[in-house]
Amino acid sequence: MTEKRAAAPRLPGVMIVPRPLRRLLQRQVVALLSRSAPAADYDAPVGDAGLFGPDSVTWKIHADFPSMMAGGLAALMLQSLHPLALAGVWDHSAFRTDILGRLRNTTAFVSRTTYAPRAAAEAAIARVLEIHHGVRGVAADGRAYSADDPHLLTWVHCAECWCFLQAYQTYCRAGMPLAQQDRYLDEMARIAEALGARQVPRSRAALDAFFAAARAELVFDERTREVLRVLRTMRLPIPMAGLSRNVFIGAAAVLLPDWALALMGRTPLQRLRERAAARALQLLAPSIRGAMAEGGLAWRACRRTGADYAGLFRWE
C-alpha cells in the first residue's frame, strides 16, 4: 500500500512558475547549497524544538527562502563596510576564490542554529567559536583585530538581523508590526551572545541606535569594492546563473539602509536597476517559496516537532 502524498501547504503569493520547473529549481538550489561537510540531522530526536521552536518569530522569518537568500547577500554587503570586520574575512578566508563556499557555510550556520535539534545547534556555535579563536591580526590601517572582539561580533550580528528583517518585509510580508520585529531581535540576541557579542540590541529602537553610533567606524574602500565585485561576478553552477545572480544581488542591495547606499556611492542608474531586480524577485518569490517548501529544513523541523509548516507563514 503506497503512502498518500500530503497536500502542498498553502503559502503566501501567487506562483507563476509551473510545478515541473519548481521541482527542477528545488533540485538545483539544494545542489547549490550542499556542502561536503556532514549535515545535521533535522529529523530526530522527535519533539526537540532546538534553540527557538515553532512558536518563535525566528522560525517564521527564517522559513522564507527567497527573503533569507536576499537578506544574506545584503548582510555581506553591509558587514563589509566595517574595516576590522572585513579584515578578518580578508586575511583568514578564501572568499575571493570561493565566495560560494562562504555563502554555504553561513547558510548552514543560520539553518542549524534556527532549525536543528538543540545539540546540533549548540555544536554549530561551538565550532564557530573555535574558528574565531584563530582569527586575529592587523588590519590595513594598522589596527589590531580579533574575531572574538565583542563589538565586532555585535556589528556582524546587527547587520545580519537588519537585512533579514528588511528582506522579509520586502519579499514576504510587508508591514511587520514593530512588536514582532522587537521579538525577533530579542530571540536572535541569544545566538550573538553565545558567540561572545555584548550589548546586543533587542529592539528596533536599540538596533537603530547601534547603527547611528557605528556609522563613524565605517568606510567604503578598495577592499569593500572587491567584496562587491566578487559578489557581482560569482559563478553559480545552475542554468541562467548570470540572470539569477543579478536578480538576487540587486534585490539584496535594495535592502541596505540609505546611509549605507550613500556611503557606497550608488548612482541613480544603479539604484534603478536594483529596484527592478527587487520587483523581479517579488514576482518570483512565491514560486521559489513553493519550490523550497516540502523537504526543506524548516519543513523537516516542523515535522520533527509536530508543528504545521504552513503555520510559519500565518501571523495571529
Side-chain angles (χ1 to χ4, degrees):
M1 183 176 180
T2 59
E3 182 180 357
K4 184 177 180 181
R5 185 182 180 87
R10 298 187 63 180
L11 304 177
V14 177
M15 292 184 281
I16 62 175
V17 176
R19 178 173 294 182
L21 291 181
R22 294 200 303 270
R23 290 175 178 168
L24 176 61
L25 174 63
Q26 182 191 46
R27 292 194 297 270
Q28 291 174 345
V29 170
V30 169
L32 178 67
L33 296 178
S34 295
R35 305 188 307 158
S36 57
D41 185 355
Y42 288 82
D43 302 309
V46 173
D48 188 324
L51 299 182
F52 297 103
D55 293 328
S56 66
V57 176
T58 299
W59 270 37
K60 290 179 177 291
I61 290 177
H62 292 188
D64 191 56
F65 185 83
S67 298
M68 291 299 288
M69 290 299 99
L73 290 168
L76 288 177
M77 297 176 187
L78 187 56
Q79 289 162 356
S80 71
L81 291 174
H82 198 298
L84 297 185
L86 180 54
V89 177
W90 191 275
D91 294 340
H92 296 270
S93 77
F95 83 93
R96 279 164 286 178
T97 56
D98 186 23
I99 186 62
L100 189 55
R102 178 168 179 81
L103 292 173
R104 285 169 173 159
N105 290 338
T106 302
T107 301
F109 178 78
V110 173
S111 298
R112 290 189 185 191
T113 52
T114 304
Y115 295 116
R118 178 172 290 272
E122 291 175 343
I125 292 171
R127 175 57 180 155
V128 170
L129 284 170
E130 180 183 356
I131 293 171
H132 280 181
H133 291 333
V135 177
R136 57 189 70 246
V138 178
D141 60 10
R143 289 183 292 168
Y145 68 83
S146 169
D148 290 325
D149 183 334
H151 179 66
L152 293 183
L153 288 164
T154 302
W155 161 256
V156 170
H157 168 80
C158 287
E160 184 176 86
C161 286
W162 162 274
C163 292
F164 287 161
L165 276 174
Q166 292 300 108
Y168 189 80
Q169 294 182 88
T170 302
Y171 302 116
C172 186
R173 185 194 182 219
M176 185 178 181
L178 187 60
Q180 292 170 348
Q181 296 183 50
D182 289 349
R183 185 178 164 193
Y184 173 71
L185 293 168
D186 184 61
E187 291 172 359
M188 285 291 287
R190 73 187 68 169
I191 303 298
E193 290 172 347
L195 291 172
R198 295 294 178 264
Q199 298 180 315
V200 181
R202 291 178 175 268
S203 68
R204 270 302 303 264
L207 182 62
D208 292 343
F210 175 86
F211 281 132
R215 284 171 61 180
E217 305 171 30
L218 310 181
V219 298
F220 183 62
D221 57 14
E222 288 305 316
R223 286 189 169 187
T224 312
R225 290 186 180 90
E226 177 65 7
V227 171
L228 299 185
R229 186 198 67 78
V230 169
L231 289 172
R232 287 197 310 268
T233 59
M234 64 179 170
R235 295 187 176 185
L236 303 177
I238 58 175
M240 296 189 296
L243 178 61
S244 301
R245 178 195 61 221
N246 292 344
V247 167
F248 271 97
I249 293 297
V254 163
L255 306 174
L256 298 175
D258 287 339
W259 52 261
L261 291 169
L263 182 59
M264 292 177 175
R266 309 300 282 182
T267 67
L269 180 58
Q270 286 175 316
R271 298 184 76 163
L272 180 63
R273 289 172 176 168
E274 290 159 0
R275 287 193 293 270
R279 180 54 182 156
L281 184 56
Q282 287 171 334
L283 292 172
L284 291 170
S287 298
I288 300 172
R289 184 177 301 126
M292 300 307 298
E294 186 172 351
L297 301 184
W299 184 88
R300 291 168 63 188
C302 285
R303 185 176 62 179
R304 185 184 76 241
T305 57
D308 175 20
Y309 174 77
L312 297 182
F313 295 89
R314 293 194 297 266
W315 294 81
E316 301 300 333

PDB file of all heavy atoms in Angstrom, residues 292-309:
ATOM      1  N   MET A 292      10.784  25.468  -2.491  1.00  0.00           N
ATOM      2  CA  MET A 292      11.678  25.086  -1.396  1.00  0.00           C
ATOM      3  C   MET A 292      10.931  24.662  -0.144  1.00  0.00           C
ATOM      4  O   MET A 292      11.554  24.430   0.895  1.00  0.00           O
ATOM      5  CB  MET A 292      12.604  26.266  -1.069  1.00  0.00           C
ATOM      6  CG  MET A 292      13.473  26.708  -2.226  1.00  0.00           C
ATOM      7  SD  MET A 292      14.414  25.339  -2.959  1.00  0.00           S
ATOM      8  CE  MET A 292      15.415  24.835  -1.572  1.00  0.00           C
ATOM      9  N   ALA A 293       9.618  24.518  -0.222  1.00  0.00           N
ATOM     10  CA  ALA A 293       8.825  24.201   0.975  1.00  0.00           C
ATOM     11  C   ALA A 293       9.022  22.762   1.426  1.00  0.00           C
ATOM     12  O   ALA A 293       9.773  22.475   2.365  1.00  0.00           O
ATOM     13  CB  ALA A 293       7.353  24.502   0.714  1.00  0.00           C
ATOM     14  N   GLU A 294       8.357  21.827   0.774  1.00  0.00           N
ATOM     15  CA  GLU A 294       8.374  20.441   1.229  1.00  0.00           C
ATOM     16  C   GLU A 294       9.775  19.847   1.148  1.00  0.00           C
ATOM     17  O   GLU A 294      10.437  19.912   0.120  1.00  0.00           O
ATOM     18  CB  GLU A 294       7.406  19.594   0.394  1.00  0.00           C
ATOM     19  CG  GLU A 294       7.265  18.173   0.920  1.00  0.00           C
ATOM     20  CD  GLU A 294       6.181  17.385   0.222  1.00  0.00           C
ATOM     21  OE1 GLU A 294       5.422  18.000  -0.566  1.00  0.00           O
ATOM     22  OE2 GLU A 294       6.081  16.181   0.456  1.00  0.00           O
ATOM     23  N   GLY A 295      10.213  19.277   2.241  1.00  0.00           N
ATOM     24  CA  GLY A 295      11.533  18.664   2.311  1.00  0.00           C
ATOM     25  C   GLY A 295      12.624  19.607   2.755  1.00  0.00           C
ATOM     26  O   GLY A 295      13.746  19.177   3.027  1.00  0.00           O
ATOM     27  N   GLY A 296      12.329  20.909   2.848  1.00  0.00           N
ATOM     28  CA  GLY A 296      13.320  21.876   3.317  1.00  0.00           C
ATOM     29  C   GLY A 296      13.568  21.740   4.809  1.00  0.00           C
ATOM     30  O   GLY A 296      12.882  20.996   5.517  1.00  0.00           O
ATOM     31  N   LEU A 297      14.548  22.468   5.308  1.00  0.00           N
ATOM     32  CA  LEU A 297      14.934  22.317   6.711  1.00  0.00           C
ATOM     33  C   LEU A 297      13.849  22.783   7.669  1.00  0.00           C
ATOM     34  O   LEU A 297      13.618  22.159   8.708  1.00  0.00           O
ATOM     35  CB  LEU A 297      16.240  23.073   6.960  1.00  0.00           C
ATOM     36  CG  LEU A 297      17.426  22.615   6.111  1.00  0.00           C
ATOM     37  CD1 LEU A 297      18.685  23.364   6.499  1.00  0.00           C
ATOM     38  CD2 LEU A 297      17.646  21.106   6.238  1.00  0.00           C
ATOM     39  N   ALA A 298      13.167  23.889   7.346  1.00  0.00           N
ATOM     40  CA  ALA A 298      12.075  24.334   8.201  1.00  0.00           C
ATOM     41  C   ALA A 298      10.938  23.317   8.195  1.00  0.00           C
ATOM     42  O   ALA A 298      10.319  23.044   9.229  1.00  0.00           O
ATOM     43  CB  ALA A 298      11.575  25.705   7.732  1.00  0.00           C
ATOM     44  N   TRP A 299      10.661  22.754   7.032  1.00  0.00           N
ATOM     45  CA  TRP A 299       9.605  21.732   6.909  1.00  0.00           C
ATOM     46  C   TRP A 299       9.955  20.513   7.751  1.00  0.00           C
ATOM     47  O   TRP A 299       9.109  19.964   8.461  1.00  0.00           O
ATOM     48  CB  TRP A 299       9.455  21.375   5.439  1.00  0.00           C
ATOM     49  CG  TRP A 299       8.357  20.413   5.114  1.00  0.00           C
ATOM     50  CD1 TRP A 299       7.044  20.719   4.831  1.00  0.00           C
ATOM     51  CD2 TRP A 299       8.454  18.981   5.028  1.00  0.00           C
ATOM     52  NE1 TRP A 299       6.332  19.581   4.572  1.00  0.00           N
ATOM     53  CE2 TRP A 299       7.169  18.494   4.687  1.00  0.00           C
ATOM     54  CE3 TRP A 299       9.500  18.083   5.199  1.00  0.00           C
ATOM     55  CZ2 TRP A 299       6.913  17.138   4.526  1.00  0.00           C
ATOM     56  CZ3 TRP A 299       9.250  16.727   5.043  1.00  0.00           C
ATOM     57  CH2 TRP A 299       7.976  16.265   4.709  1.00  0.00           C
ATOM     58  N   ARG A 300      11.215  20.086   7.700  1.00  0.00           N
ATOM     59  CA  ARG A 300      11.646  18.917   8.470  1.00  0.00           C
ATOM     60  C   ARG A 300      11.606  19.206   9.969  1.00  0.00           C
ATOM     61  O   ARG A 300      11.243  18.340  10.779  1.00  0.00           O
ATOM     62  CB  ARG A 300      13.053  18.498   8.040  1.00  0.00           C
ATOM     63  CG  ARG A 300      13.084  17.916   6.629  1.00  0.00           C
ATOM     64  CD  ARG A 300      14.499  17.781   6.105  1.00  0.00           C
ATOM     65  NE  ARG A 300      15.305  16.850   6.905  1.00  0.00           N
ATOM     66  CZ  ARG A 300      16.612  16.688   6.732  1.00  0.00           C
ATOM     67  NH1 ARG A 300      17.258  17.394   5.805  1.00  0.00           N
ATOM     68  NH2 ARG A 300      17.263  15.823   7.475  1.00  0.00           N
ATOM     69  N   ALA A 301      11.972  20.434  10.344  1.00  0.00           N
ATOM     70  CA  ALA A 301      11.912  20.807  11.759  1.00  0.00           C
ATOM     71  C   ALA A 301      10.474  20.803  12.262  1.00  0.00           C
ATOM     72  O   ALA A 301      10.196  20.381  13.392  1.00  0.00           O
ATOM     73  CB  ALA A 301      12.550  22.176  11.973  1.00  0.00           C
ATOM     74  N   CYS A 302       9.544  21.265  11.415  1.00  0.00           N
ATOM     75  CA  CYS A 302       8.129  21.225  11.798  1.00  0.00           C
ATOM     76  C   CYS A 302       7.654  19.785  11.957  1.00  0.00           C
ATOM     77  O   CYS A 302       6.927  19.459  12.902  1.00  0.00           O
ATOM     78  CB  CYS A 302       7.284  21.960  10.762  1.00  0.00           C
ATOM     79  SG  CYS A 302       7.410  23.758  10.844  1.00  0.00           S
ATOM     80  N   ARG A 303       8.066  18.917  11.047  1.00  0.00           N
ATOM     81  CA  ARG A 303       7.682  17.509  11.158  1.00  0.00           C
ATOM     82  C   ARG A 303       8.261  16.898  12.433  1.00  0.00           C
ATOM     83  O   ARG A 303       7.589  16.130  13.123  1.00  0.00           O
ATOM     84  CB  ARG A 303       8.169  16.748   9.925  1.00  0.00           C
ATOM     85  CG  ARG A 303       7.715  15.279   9.883  1.00  0.00           C
ATOM     86  CD  ARG A 303       8.138  14.610   8.593  1.00  0.00           C
ATOM     87  NE  ARG A 303       9.593  14.574   8.441  1.00  0.00           N
ATOM     88  CZ  ARG A 303      10.214  14.013   7.404  1.00  0.00           C
ATOM     89  NH1 ARG A 303       9.515  13.493   6.406  1.00  0.00           N
ATOM     90  NH2 ARG A 303      11.529  14.019   7.346  1.00  0.00           N
ATOM     91  N   ARG A 304       9.490  17.258  12.778  1.00  0.00           N
ATOM     92  CA  ARG A 304      10.135  16.718  13.985  1.00  0.00           C
ATOM     93  C   ARG A 304       9.396  17.152  15.251  1.00  0.00           C
ATOM     94  O   ARG A 304       9.299  16.392  16.221  1.00  0.00           O
ATOM     95  CB  ARG A 304      11.577  17.215  14.040  1.00  0.00           C
ATOM     96  CG  ARG A 304      12.415  16.642  15.171  1.00  0.00           C
ATOM     97  CD  ARG A 304      13.805  17.255  15.222  1.00  0.00           C
ATOM     98  NE  ARG A 304      13.821  18.592  15.772  1.00  0.00           N
ATOM     99  CZ  ARG A 304      14.220  19.680  15.122  1.00  0.00           C
ATOM    100  NH1 ARG A 304      14.645  19.600  13.876  1.00  0.00           N
ATOM    101  NH2 ARG A 304      14.199  20.861  15.713  1.00  0.00           N
ATOM    102  N   THR A 305       8.861  18.367  15.250  1.00  0.00           N
ATOM    103  CA  THR A 305       8.223  18.911  16.442  1.00  0.00           C
ATOM    104  C   THR A 305       6.704  18.800  16.418  1.00  0.00           C
ATOM    105  O   THR A 305       6.037  19.230  17.364  1.00  0.00           O
ATOM    106  CB  THR A 305       8.603  20.388  16.613  1.00  0.00           C
ATOM    107  OG1 THR A 305       8.226  21.117  15.431  1.00  0.00           O
ATOM    108  CG2 THR A 305      10.100  20.542  16.838  1.00  0.00           C
ATOM    109  N   GLY A 306       6.156  18.252  15.315  1.00  0.00           N
ATOM    110  CA  GLY A 306       4.706  18.127  15.208  1.00  0.00           C
ATOM    111  C   GLY A 306       4.003  19.430  14.908  1.00  0.00           C
ATOM    112  O   GLY A 306       2.801  19.571  15.174  1.00  0.00           O
ATOM    113  N   ALA A 307       4.720  20.402  14.357  1.00  0.00           N
ATOM    114  CA  ALA A 307       4.134  21.705  14.045  1.00  0.00           C
ATOM    115  C   ALA A 307       3.639  21.746  12.605  1.00  0.00           C
ATOM    116  O   ALA A 307       4.048  20.943  11.763  1.00  0.00           O
ATOM    117  CB  ALA A 307       5.164  22.808  14.278  1.00  0.00           C
ATOM    118  N   ASP A 308       2.754  22.691  12.331  1.00  0.00           N
ATOM    119  CA  ASP A 308       2.211  22.892  10.984  1.00  0.00           C
ATOM    120  C   ASP A 308       3.137  23.823  10.206  1.00  0.00           C
ATOM    121  O   ASP A 308       3.310  24.989  10.578  1.00  0.00           O
ATOM    122  CB  ASP A 308       0.807  23.491  11.095  1.00  0.00           C
ATOM    123  CG  ASP A 308       0.209  23.843   9.736  1.00  0.00           C
ATOM    124  OD1 ASP A 308       0.676  23.298   8.712  1.00  0.00           O
ATOM    125  OD2 ASP A 308      -0.735  24.659   9.710  1.00  0.00           O
ATOM    126  N   TYR A 309       3.735  23.315   9.135  1.00  0.00           N
ATOM    127  CA  TYR A 309       4.670  24.130   8.361  1.00  0.00           C
ATOM    128  C   TYR A 309       3.998  25.393   7.823  1.00  0.00           C
ATOM    129  O   TYR A 309       4.569  26.492   7.897  1.00  0.00           O
ATOM    130  CB  TYR A 309       5.262  23.317   7.211  1.00  0.00           C
ATOM    131  CG  TYR A 309       6.128  24.128   6.281  1.00  0.00           C
ATOM    132  CD1 TYR A 309       7.423  24.491   6.649  1.00  0.00           C
ATOM    133  CD2 TYR A 309       5.660  24.545   5.038  1.00  0.00           C
ATOM    134  CE1 TYR A 309       8.220  25.248   5.806  1.00  0.00           C
ATOM    135  CE2 TYR A 309       6.457  25.306   4.199  1.00  0.00           C
ATOM    136  CZ  TYR A 309       7.731  25.649   4.576  1.00  0.00           C
ATOM    137  OH  TYR A 309       8.517  26.406   3.751  1.00  0.00           O
TER     138      TYR A 309
END
